[in-house]
């Protein structure tokens, strides 16, 4: 996990150095939302609904970052509309006894 965090931080620094102002703001916002999600995820007292709402905020921030970064990279096509996040139905979640086997 630490190696992935180091790689993410290095990539973010490149964005902050090279991107335009709107993209930098969007990158920082996305980073903040992901950090908040990680903190909530590690808190056993937080409900699944609170985590779901934080995930939606992080996803929205990512979408804003992508929308800002694409023109900065010369990509002028639009992204498809984001899909709503849905929790899997209980029947869709694999049973621990059937995983891998």
């Amino acid at each position: 996990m630490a190696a992935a965090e180091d790689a993410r931080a290095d990539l973010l620094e490149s964005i902050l150095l090279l991107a335009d102002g709107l993209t930098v703001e969007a990158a920082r916002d996305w980073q903040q939302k992901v950090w908040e999600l990680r903190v909530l995820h590690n808190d056993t007292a937080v409900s699944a609904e609170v985590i779901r709402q934080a995930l939606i905020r992080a996803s929205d921030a990512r979408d804003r970052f992508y929308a800002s970064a694409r023109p900065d990279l010369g990509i002028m096509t639009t992204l498809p509309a984001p899909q709503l996040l849905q929790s899997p139905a209980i029947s869709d979640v694999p049973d621990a006894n059937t995983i891998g086997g």
Side-chain angles (χ1 to χ4, degrees):
M1 184 69 132
E5 176 59 23
D6 288 345
R8 186 211 53 80
D10 289 345
L11 291 171
L12 179 65
E13 287 301 318
S14 296
I15 291 168
L16 299 179
L17 177 64
L18 301 172
D20 68 13
L22 291 175
T23 302
V24 167
E25 286 179 26
R28 286 178 175 155
D29 184 49
W30 183 21
Q31 176 184 351
Q32 178 68 30
K33 298 297 188 276
V34 169
W35 181 83
E36 291 168 3
L37 179 62
R38 288 181 61 197
V39 168
L40 289 172
H41 186 282
N42 291 326
D43 184 347
T44 58
V46 173
S47 72
E49 178 59 21
V50 169
I51 292 174
R52 188 180 78 76
Q53 291 297 321
L55 181 58
I56 289 170
R57 289 190 298 275
S59 181
D60 289 346
R62 182 200 60 220
D63 293 343
R64 287 189 300 275
F65 168 72
Y66 287 169
S68 180
R70 290 170 61 84
D72 202 27
L73 295 169
I75 302 169
M76 299 307 169
T77 58
T78 58
L79 289 168
Q83 295 183 339
L84 295 176
L85 296 174
Q86 297 180 2
S87 298
I90 297 298
S91 61
D92 294 340
V93 177
D95 184 301
N97 296 323
T98 61
I99 296 175

